[in-house]
Amino acid sequence: CRQMVSYVHLTQPNAVYRFIYREGTKKEVDLAELFYNEVLQLGADSSKCKKINYTKDGWNGVHKSIISGKKNVLFIPISDESVLSSLLKKLDTKDASDIMIVGLPTWEFMETMDFTLLETLNTYIFSTSYIDYDNADVKKFRKEFIESYHADPLPSAFYGYDFYNWIASNHDKHGSKIAEYESVPVLLSPTSGFRFRRVCENCGFENNYISVLKFQDGKLVKVNN
């Protein structure tokens, strides 16, 4: 979530930011709070940031908060398809050039969502496991996997292949000093590879690299390097 906020703030520094959540839905409240605090920590003007309780304020609260002629970035950490679909249809009545939606990775797998509407509203989501099946390296791996095992590789096959090659490419040079392991191109992020960072002093490492995806031309398109 923090990586996505960083991307949005970097690409939309002059935008106004809105954080829409439903009261009583803890995950949405927590995510909205995280997005909000992270934007402020990155230096955004607090007067341009506003949390909107959709349970209390409804569409009227969202509608009144949108500033015409400005880029309005709406962080919407909602995964309820019916609620989300209703909200997005109402947003479709606004000038789409003023709107940018930031959603969650779960939106990729929603069954009833109108992808055309998501595209119209300039919708972005993020993922740590995006596989670009149009990438030449991905195509090569998939072809060789099918030839060897006579089955299409599951996402876990791509993950395992990437992790193995990341470790193998670093082990001879750095041994067990994982903190010194370098990023290498991988199938899940062909240009950048993994970016592992220690979570805290006594914690393990996590991958800080994400794929930022935009709904475009009827599919999800990766827009970051």
Side-chain angles (χ1 to χ4, degrees):
C1 292
R2 292 187 173 93
Q3 295 296 324
M4 185 60 179
V5 172
S6 296
Y7 173 85
V8 173
H9 186 258
L10 181 65
T11 56
Q12 302 294 336
N14 299 315
V16 294
Y17 304 99
R18 303 294 181 249
F19 309 85
I20 304 170
Y21 67 95
R22 293 179 298 161
E23 184 180 18
T25 309
K26 186 177 186 304
K27 183 177 181 180
E28 293 177 18
V29 174
D30 290 346
L31 286 173
E33 188 70 19
L34 186 148
F35 284 136
Y36 176 81
N37 289 333
E38 193 67 21
V39 167
L40 292 181
Q41 288 182 24
L42 289 173
D45 186 339
S46 60
S47 66
K48 295 182 178 181
C49 304
K50 183 177 181 180
K51 289 181 283 186
I52 300 170
N53 182 349
Y54 195 59
T55 302
K56 177 182 177 182
D57 301 326
W59 165 245
N60 190 48
V62 176
H63 176 74
K64 289 194 303 183
S65 74
I66 295 176
I67 302 176
S68 180
K70 283 276 191 178
K71 178 64 73 174
N72 295 262
V73 178
L74 309 182
F75 287 84
I76 309 179
I78 296 175
S79 292
D80 185 310
E81 288 192 49
S82 60
V83 173
L84 187 59
S85 180
S86 174
L87 173 57
L88 294 180
K89 286 177 182 177
K90 291 172 181 175
L91 284 169
D92 195 30
T93 63
K94 305 294 291 183
D95 184 347
S97 65
D98 290 344
I99 301 292
M100 174 179 172
I101 304 292
V102 179
L104 299 174
T106 53
W107 291 19
E108 180 181 356
F109 307 105
M110 289 185 172
E111 298 178 352
T112 60
M113 191 58 63
D114 183 348
F115 273 44
T116 302
L117 179 57
L118 292 171
E119 184 172 336
T120 300
L121 293 173
N122 302 310
T123 303
Y124 293 74
I125 63 173
F126 53 100
S127 172
T128 58
S129 57
Y130 173 69
I131 301 172
D132 180 6
Y133 287 96
D134 291 329
N135 178 270
D137 290 335
V138 172
K139 288 181 177 179
K140 181 174 182 289
F141 173 82
R142 182 169 177 263
K143 178 177 179 294
E144 293 178 353
F145 188 98
I146 292 172
E147 289 175 350
S148 297
Y149 303 106
H150 311 293
D152 220 350
L154 294 173
S156 56
F158 291 93
Y159 308 156
Y161 181 82
D162 277 347
F163 280 119
Y164 173 82
N165 280 293
W166 176 71
I167 293 171
S169 64
N170 277 285
H171 187 267
D172 288 344
K173 184 176 181 181
H174 301 291
S176 59
K177 299 178 181 177
I178 298 177
E180 298 179 10
Y181 277 27
E182 302 164 16
S183 179
V184 294
V186 295
L187 298 177
L188 270 64
S189 54
T191 57
S192 299
F194 297 124
R195 296 175 189 166
F196 281 96
R197 298 290 184 272
R198 190 181 289 279
V199 178
C200 66
E201 185 178 352
N202 297 314
C203 300
F205 293 79
E206 72 174 2
N207 179 27
N208 283 179
Y209 179 82
I210 63 168
S211 293
V212 179
L213 310 174
K214 181 181 182 180
F215 288 90
Q216 182 176 307
D217 301 326
K219 60 182 181 180
L220 282 167
V221 177
K222 188 170 181 288
V223 295
N224 65 323
N225 294 323

mmCIF file with all atom_site columns, all heavy atoms in Angstrom, residues 20 45 63-64 80 116-117 121 128 145-146 163 166 170 196 209:
data_model
loop_
_atom_site.group_PDB
_atom_site.id
_atom_site.type_symbol
_atom_site.label_atom_id
_atom_site.label_alt_id
_atom_site.label_comp_id
_atom_site.label_asym_id
_atom_site.label_entity_id
_atom_site.label_seq_id
_atom_site.pdbx_PDB_ins_code
_atom_site.Cartn_x
_atom_site.Cartn_y
_atom_site.Cartn_z
_atom_site.occupancy
_atom_site.B_iso_or_equiv
_atom_site.pdbx_formal_charge
_atom_site.auth_seq_id
_atom_site.auth_comp_id
_atom_site.auth_asym_id
_atom_site.auth_atom_id
_atom_site.pdbx_PDB_model_num
ATOM 1   N N   . ILE A 1 20  ? -11.962 6.992   0.599   1.00 0.00 ? 20  ILE A N   1
ATOM 2   C CA  . ILE A 1 20  ? -13.360 6.607   0.810   1.00 0.00 ? 20  ILE A CA  1
ATOM 3   C C   . ILE A 1 20  ? -13.431 5.241   1.492   1.00 0.00 ? 20  ILE A C   1
ATOM 4   O O   . ILE A 1 20  ? -12.843 4.271   1.002   1.00 0.00 ? 20  ILE A O   1
ATOM 5   C CB  . ILE A 1 20  ? -14.102 6.575   -0.535  1.00 0.00 ? 20  ILE A CB  1
ATOM 6   C CG1 . ILE A 1 20  ? -13.982 7.948   -1.237  1.00 0.00 ? 20  ILE A CG1 1
ATOM 7   C CG2 . ILE A 1 20  ? -15.563 6.205   -0.347  1.00 0.00 ? 20  ILE A CG2 1
ATOM 8   C CD1 . ILE A 1 20  ? -14.465 7.951   -2.672  1.00 0.00 ? 20  ILE A CD1 1
ATOM 9   N N   . ASP A 1 45  ? -0.128  18.398  1.038   1.00 0.00 ? 45  ASP A N   1
ATOM 10  C CA  . ASP A 1 45  ? -0.816  19.425  1.806   1.00 0.00 ? 45  ASP A CA  1
ATOM 11  C C   . ASP A 1 45  ? -2.064  18.808  2.446   1.00 0.00 ? 45  ASP A C   1
ATOM 12  O O   . ASP A 1 45  ? -2.915  18.266  1.750   1.00 0.00 ? 45  ASP A O   1
ATOM 13  C CB  . ASP A 1 45  ? -1.204  20.570  0.872   1.00 0.00 ? 45  ASP A CB  1
ATOM 14  C CG  . ASP A 1 45  ? -1.803  21.758  1.601   1.00 0.00 ? 45  ASP A CG  1
ATOM 15  O OD1 . ASP A 1 45  ? -2.289  21.591  2.730   1.00 0.00 ? 45  ASP A OD1 1
ATOM 16  O OD2 . ASP A 1 45  ? -1.799  22.861  1.023   1.00 0.00 ? 45  ASP A OD2 1
ATOM 17  N N   . HIS A 1 63  ? -19.526 13.358  -3.818  1.00 0.00 ? 63  HIS A N   1
ATOM 18  C CA  . HIS A 1 63  ? -19.821 14.327  -4.877  1.00 0.00 ? 63  HIS A CA  1
ATOM 19  C C   . HIS A 1 63  ? -19.333 15.727  -4.502  1.00 0.00 ? 63  HIS A C   1
ATOM 20  O O   . HIS A 1 63  ? -18.690 16.422  -5.304  1.00 0.00 ? 63  HIS A O   1
ATOM 21  C CB  . HIS A 1 63  ? -21.323 14.334  -5.150  1.00 0.00 ? 63  HIS A CB  1
ATOM 22  C CG  . HIS A 1 63  ? -21.760 15.354  -6.161  1.00 0.00 ? 63  HIS A CG  1
ATOM 23  N ND1 . HIS A 1 63  ? -21.530 15.204  -7.513  1.00 0.00 ? 63  HIS A ND1 1
ATOM 24  C CD2 . HIS A 1 63  ? -22.388 16.555  -6.017  1.00 0.00 ? 63  HIS A CD2 1
ATOM 25  C CE1 . HIS A 1 63  ? -22.013 16.252  -8.161  1.00 0.00 ? 63  HIS A CE1 1
ATOM 26  N NE2 . HIS A 1 63  ? -22.529 17.082  -7.276  1.00 0.00 ? 63  HIS A NE2 1
ATOM 27  N N   . LYS A 1 64  ? -19.610 16.149  -3.280  1.00 0.00 ? 64  LYS A N   1
ATOM 28  C CA  . LYS A 1 64  ? -19.243 17.499  -2.843  1.00 0.00 ? 64  LYS A CA  1
ATOM 29  C C   . LYS A 1 64  ? -17.736 17.668  -2.677  1.00 0.00 ? 64  LYS A C   1
ATOM 30  O O   . LYS A 1 64  ? -17.232 18.788  -2.749  1.00 0.00 ? 64  LYS A O   1
ATOM 31  C CB  . LYS A 1 64  ? -19.934 17.822  -1.512  1.00 0.00 ? 64  LYS A CB  1
ATOM 32  C CG  . LYS A 1 64  ? -21.432 18.035  -1.624  1.00 0.00 ? 64  LYS A CG  1
ATOM 33  C CD  . LYS A 1 64  ? -22.014 18.667  -0.368  1.00 0.00 ? 64  LYS A CD  1
ATOM 34  C CE  . LYS A 1 64  ? -21.726 17.844  0.865   1.00 0.00 ? 64  LYS A CE  1
ATOM 35  N NZ  . LYS A 1 64  ? -22.362 18.455  2.084   1.00 0.00 ? 64  LYS A NZ  1
ATOM 36  N N   . ASP A 1 80  ? -16.274 -4.909  -1.689  1.00 0.00 ? 80  ASP A N   1
ATOM 37  C CA  . ASP A 1 80  ? -17.655 -5.349  -1.875  1.00 0.00 ? 80  ASP A CA  1
ATOM 38  C C   . ASP A 1 80  ? -18.109 -4.932  -3.272  1.00 0.00 ? 80  ASP A C   1
ATOM 39  O O   . ASP A 1 80  ? -18.263 -3.742  -3.562  1.00 0.00 ? 80  ASP A O   1
ATOM 40  C CB  . ASP A 1 80  ? -18.548 -4.715  -0.807  1.00 0.00 ? 80  ASP A CB  1
ATOM 41  C CG  . ASP A 1 80  ? -19.984 -5.204  -0.850  1.00 0.00 ? 80  ASP A CG  1
ATOM 42  O OD1 . ASP A 1 80  ? -20.584 -5.200  -1.946  1.00 0.00 ? 80  ASP A OD1 1
ATOM 43  O OD2 . ASP A 1 80  ? -20.515 -5.600  0.209   1.00 0.00 ? 80  ASP A OD2 1
ATOM 44  N N   . THR A 1 116 ? -14.990 -1.731  -18.615 1.00 0.00 ? 116 THR A N   1
ATOM 45  C CA  . THR A 1 116 ? -15.032 -0.521  -19.434 1.00 0.00 ? 116 THR A CA  1
ATOM 46  C C   . THR A 1 116 ? -15.180 0.707   -18.560 1.00 0.00 ? 116 THR A C   1
ATOM 47  O O   . THR A 1 116 ? -14.552 1.748   -18.804 1.00 0.00 ? 116 THR A O   1
ATOM 48  C CB  . THR A 1 116 ? -16.207 -0.593  -20.425 1.00 0.00 ? 116 THR A CB  1
ATOM 49  O OG1 . THR A 1 116 ? -16.065 -1.752  -21.256 1.00 0.00 ? 116 THR A OG1 1
ATOM 50  C CG2 . THR A 1 116 ? -16.250 0.652   -21.302 1.00 0.00 ? 116 THR A CG2 1
ATOM 51  N N   . LEU A 1 117 ? -16.001 0.595   -17.523 1.00 0.00 ? 117 LEU A N   1
ATOM 52  C CA  . LEU A 1 117 ? -16.186 1.699   -16.586 1.00 0.00 ? 117 LEU A CA  1
ATOM 53  C C   . LEU A 1 117 ? -14.896 1.978   -15.818 1.00 0.00 ? 117 LEU A C   1
ATOM 54  O O   . LEU A 1 117 ? -14.512 3.135   -15.622 1.00 0.00 ? 117 LEU A O   1
ATOM 55  C CB  . LEU A 1 117 ? -17.316 1.371   -15.611 1.00 0.00 ? 117 LEU A CB  1
ATOM 56  C CG  . LEU A 1 117 ? -17.637 2.406   -14.531 1.00 0.00 ? 117 LEU A CG  1
ATOM 57  C CD1 . LEU A 1 117 ? -17.971 3.754   -15.160 1.00 0.00 ? 117 LEU A CD1 1
ATOM 58  C CD2 . LEU A 1 117 ? -18.795 1.923   -13.666 1.00 0.00 ? 117 LEU A CD2 1
ATOM 59  N N   . LEU A 1 121 ? -12.810 5.579   -15.895 1.00 0.00 ? 121 LEU A N   1
ATOM 60  C CA  . LEU A 1 121 ? -12.521 6.341   -14.686 1.00 0.00 ? 121 LEU A CA  1
ATOM 61  C C   . LEU A 1 121 ? -11.030 6.345   -14.320 1.00 0.00 ? 121 LEU A C   1
ATOM 62  O O   . LEU A 1 121 ? -10.672 6.708   -13.207 1.00 0.00 ? 121 LEU A O   1
ATOM 63  C CB  . LEU A 1 121 ? -13.342 5.780   -13.519 1.00 0.00 ? 121 LEU A CB  1
ATOM 64  C CG  . LEU A 1 121 ? -14.858 5.973   -13.620 1.00 0.00 ? 121 LEU A CG  1
ATOM 65  C CD1 . LEU A 1 121 ? -15.572 5.226   -12.512 1.00 0.00 ? 121 LEU A CD1 1
ATOM 66  C CD2 . LEU A 1 121 ? -15.219 7.456   -13.585 1.00 0.00 ? 121 LEU A CD2 1
ATOM 67  N N   . THR A 1 128 ? 1.676   -7.594  -6.304  1.00 0.00 ? 128 THR A N   1
ATOM 68  C CA  . THR A 1 128 ? 3.029   -8.121  -6.111  1.00 0.00 ? 128 THR A CA  1
ATOM 69  C C   . THR A 1 128 ? 3.224   -9.403  -6.908  1.00 0.00 ? 128 THR A C   1
ATOM 70  O O   . THR A 1 128 ? 4.284   -10.022 -6.844  1.00 0.00 ? 128 THR A O   1
ATOM 71  C CB  . THR A 1 128 ? 3.299   -8.406  -4.624  1.00 0.00 ? 128 THR A CB  1
ATOM 72  O OG1 . THR A 1 128 ? 2.320   -9.341  -4.147  1.00 0.00 ? 128 THR A OG1 1
ATOM 73  C CG2 . THR A 1 128 ? 3.218   -7.135  -3.811  1.00 0.00 ? 128 THR A CG2 1
ATOM 74  N N   . PHE A 1 145 ? 7.955   -24.792 -20.141 1.00 0.00 ? 145 PHE A N   1
ATOM 75  C CA  . PHE A 1 145 ? 7.262   -25.502 -19.072 1.00 0.00 ? 145 PHE A CA  1
ATOM 76  C C   . PHE A 1 145 ? 6.256   -26.488 -19.661 1.00 0.00 ? 145 PHE A C   1
ATOM 77  O O   . PHE A 1 145 ? 6.186   -27.658 -19.252 1.00 0.00 ? 145 PHE A O   1
ATOM 78  C CB  . PHE A 1 145 ? 6.554   -24.501 -18.149 1.00 0.00 ? 145 PHE A CB  1
ATOM 79  C CG  . PHE A 1 145 ? 5.971   -25.114 -16.911 1.00 0.00 ? 145 PHE A CG  1
ATOM 80  C CD1 . PHE A 1 145 ? 6.661   -25.068 -15.707 1.00 0.00 ? 145 PHE A CD1 1
ATOM 81  C CD2 . PHE A 1 145 ? 4.718   -25.738 -16.928 1.00 0.00 ? 145 PHE A CD2 1
ATOM 82  C CE1 . PHE A 1 145 ? 6.128   -25.624 -14.560 1.00 0.00 ? 145 PHE A CE1 1
ATOM 83  C CE2 . PHE A 1 145 ? 4.177   -26.296 -15.787 1.00 0.00 ? 145 PHE A CE2 1
ATOM 84  C CZ  . PHE A 1 145 ? 4.882   -26.252 -14.595 1.00 0.00 ? 145 PHE A CZ  1
ATOM 85  N N   . ILE A 1 146 ? 5.485   -26.019 -20.643 1.00 0.00 ? 146 ILE A N   1
ATOM 86  C CA  . ILE A 1 146 ? 4.482   -26.883 -21.279 1.00 0.00 ? 146 ILE A CA  1
ATOM 87  C C   . ILE A 1 146 ? 5.149   -28.055 -21.997 1.00 0.00 ? 146 ILE A C   1
ATOM 88  O O   . ILE A 1 146 ? 4.679   -29.191 -21.936 1.00 0.00 ? 146 ILE A O   1
ATOM 89  C CB  . ILE A 1 146 ? 3.607   -26.066 -22.259 1.00 0.00 ? 146 ILE A CB  1
ATOM 90  C CG1 . ILE A 1 146 ? 2.734   -25.067 -21.478 1.00 0.00 ? 146 ILE A CG1 1
ATOM 91  C CG2 . ILE A 1 146 ? 2.732   -26.979 -23.098 1.00 0.00 ? 146 ILE A CG2 1
ATOM 92  C CD1 . ILE A 1 146 ? 1.977   -24.097 -22.354 1.00 0.00 ? 146 ILE A CD1 1
ATOM 93  N N   . PHE A 1 163 ? 12.170  -16.931 -7.586  1.00 0.00 ? 163 PHE A N   1
ATOM 94  C CA  . PHE A 1 163 ? 12.882  -16.957 -6.310  1.00 0.00 ? 163 PHE A CA  1
ATOM 95  C C   . PHE A 1 163 ? 14.165  -17.772 -6.415  1.00 0.00 ? 163 PHE A C   1
ATOM 96  O O   . PHE A 1 163 ? 15.213  -17.388 -5.888  1.00 0.00 ? 163 PHE A O   1
ATOM 97  C CB  . PHE A 1 163 ? 11.994  -17.522 -5.198  1.00 0.00 ? 163 PHE A CB  1
ATOM 98  C CG  . PHE A 1 163 ? 11.019  -16.525 -4.645  1.00 0.00 ? 163 PHE A CG  1
ATOM 99  C CD1 . PHE A 1 163 ? 9.658   -16.729 -4.726  1.00 0.00 ? 163 PHE A CD1 1
ATOM 100 C CD2 . PHE A 1 163 ? 11.474  -15.365 -4.030  1.00 0.00 ? 163 PHE A CD2 1
ATOM 101 C CE1 . PHE A 1 163 ? 8.765   -15.812 -4.215  1.00 0.00 ? 163 PHE A CE1 1
ATOM 102 C CE2 . PHE A 1 163 ? 10.588  -14.433 -3.505  1.00 0.00 ? 163 PHE A CE2 1
ATOM 103 C CZ  . PHE A 1 163 ? 9.223   -14.661 -3.602  1.00 0.00 ? 163 PHE A CZ  1
ATOM 104 N N   . TRP A 1 166 ? 16.735  -15.756 -8.319  1.00 0.00 ? 166 TRP A N   1
ATOM 105 C CA  . TRP A 1 166 ? 17.199  -14.618 -7.526  1.00 0.00 ? 166 TRP A CA  1
ATOM 106 C C   . TRP A 1 166 ? 18.244  -15.069 -6.499  1.00 0.00 ? 166 TRP A C   1
ATOM 107 O O   . TRP A 1 166 ? 19.285  -14.433 -6.340  1.00 0.00 ? 166 TRP A O   1
ATOM 108 C CB  . TRP A 1 166 ? 16.005  -13.964 -6.822  1.00 0.00 ? 166 TRP A CB  1
ATOM 109 C CG  . TRP A 1 166 ? 16.382  -12.835 -5.913  1.00 0.00 ? 166 TRP A CG  1
ATOM 110 C CD1 . TRP A 1 166 ? 16.827  -11.588 -6.279  1.00 0.00 ? 166 TRP A CD1 1
ATOM 111 C CD2 . TRP A 1 166 ? 16.364  -12.844 -4.487  1.00 0.00 ? 166 TRP A CD2 1
ATOM 112 N NE1 . TRP A 1 166 ? 17.077  -10.821 -5.157  1.00 0.00 ? 166 TRP A NE1 1
ATOM 113 C CE2 . TRP A 1 166 ? 16.799  -11.569 -4.042  1.00 0.00 ? 166 TRP A CE2 1
ATOM 114 C CE3 . TRP A 1 166 ? 16.010  -13.800 -3.535  1.00 0.00 ? 166 TRP A CE3 1
ATOM 115 C CZ2 . TRP A 1 166 ? 16.884  -11.235 -2.695  1.00 0.00 ? 166 TRP A CZ2 1
ATOM 116 C CZ3 . TRP A 1 166 ? 16.097  -13.464 -2.199  1.00 0.00 ? 166 TRP A CZ3 1
ATOM 117 C CH2 . TRP A 1 166 ? 16.532  -12.199 -1.789  1.00 0.00 ? 166 TRP A CH2 1
ATOM 118 N N   . ASN A 1 170 ? 22.653  -14.615 -6.699  1.00 0.00 ? 170 ASN A N   1
ATOM 119 C CA  . ASN A 1 170 ? 23.299  -13.834 -5.639  1.00 0.00 ? 170 ASN A CA  1
ATOM 120 C C   . ASN A 1 170 ? 24.171  -14.657 -4.697  1.00 0.00 ? 170 ASN A C   1
ATOM 121 O O   . ASN A 1 170 ? 25.072  -14.110 -4.051  1.00 0.00 ? 170 ASN A O   1
ATOM 122 C CB  . ASN A 1 170 ? 22.238  -13.107 -4.800  1.00 0.00 ? 170 ASN A CB  1
ATOM 123 C CG  . ASN A 1 170 ? 21.774  -11.810 -5.421  1.00 0.00 ? 170 ASN A CG  1
ATOM 124 O OD1 . ASN A 1 170 ? 22.475  -10.811 -5.388  1.00 0.00 ? 170 ASN A OD1 1
ATOM 125 N ND2 . ASN A 1 170 ? 20.586  -11.843 -6.013  1.00 0.00 ? 170 ASN A ND2 1
ATOM 126 N N   . PHE A 1 196 ? 14.133  -6.640  -1.990  1.00 0.00 ? 196 PHE A N   1
ATOM 127 C CA  . PHE A 1 196 ? 13.893  -7.108  -0.630  1.00 0.00 ? 196 PHE A CA  1
ATOM 128 C C   . PHE A 1 196 ? 14.482  -6.140  0.390   1.00 0.00 ? 196 PHE A C   1
ATOM 129 O O   . PHE A 1 196 ? 15.614  -5.692  0.261   1.00 0.00 ? 196 PHE A O   1
ATOM 130 C CB  . PHE A 1 196 ? 14.490  -8.499  -0.424  1.00 0.00 ? 196 PHE A CB  1
ATOM 131 C CG  . PHE A 1 196 ? 13.630  -9.596  -1.001  1.00 0.00 ? 196 PHE A CG  1
ATOM 132 C CD1 . PHE A 1 196 ? 13.882  -10.102 -2.268  1.00 0.00 ? 196 PHE A CD1 1
ATOM 133 C CD2 . PHE A 1 196 ? 12.570  -10.104 -0.277  1.00 0.00 ? 196 PHE A CD2 1
ATOM 134 C CE1 . PHE A 1 196 ? 13.094  -11.106 -2.801  1.00 0.00 ? 196 PHE A CE1 1
ATOM 135 C CE2 . PHE A 1 196 ? 11.775  -11.105 -0.800  1.00 0.00 ? 196 PHE A CE2 1
ATOM 136 C CZ  . PHE A 1 196 ? 12.030  -11.613 -2.063  1.00 0.00 ? 196 PHE A CZ  1
ATOM 137 N N   . TYR A 1 209 ? 8.945   -4.377  -4.140  1.00 0.00 ? 209 TYR A N   1
ATOM 138 C CA  . TYR A 1 209 ? 8.583   -4.015  -5.514  1.00 0.00 ? 209 TYR A CA  1
ATOM 139 C C   . TYR A 1 209 ? 7.140   -4.388  -5.801  1.00 0.00 ? 209 TYR A C   1
ATOM 140 O O   . TYR A 1 209 ? 6.690   -5.490  -5.472  1.00 0.00 ? 209 TYR A O   1
ATOM 141 C CB  . TYR A 1 209 ? 9.491   -4.713  -6.532  1.00 0.00 ? 209 TYR A CB  1
ATOM 142 C CG  . TYR A 1 209 ? 9.113   -4.352  -7.951  1.00 0.00 ? 209 TYR A CG  1
ATOM 143 C CD1 . TYR A 1 209 ? 9.562   -3.173  -8.525  1.00 0.00 ? 209 TYR A CD1 1
ATOM 144 C CD2 . TYR A 1 209 ? 8.258   -5.159  -8.690  1.00 0.00 ? 209 TYR A CD2 1
ATOM 145 C CE1 . TYR A 1 209 ? 9.191   -2.808  -9.809  1.00 0.00 ? 209 TYR A CE1 1
ATOM 146 C CE2 . TYR A 1 209 ? 7.876   -4.806  -9.973  1.00 0.00 ? 209 TYR A CE2 1
ATOM 147 C CZ  . TYR A 1 209 ? 8.342   -3.630  -10.532 1.00 0.00 ? 209 TYR A CZ  1
ATOM 148 O OH  . TYR A 1 209 ? 7.953   -3.268  -11.792 1.00 0.00 ? 209 TYR A OH  1
#
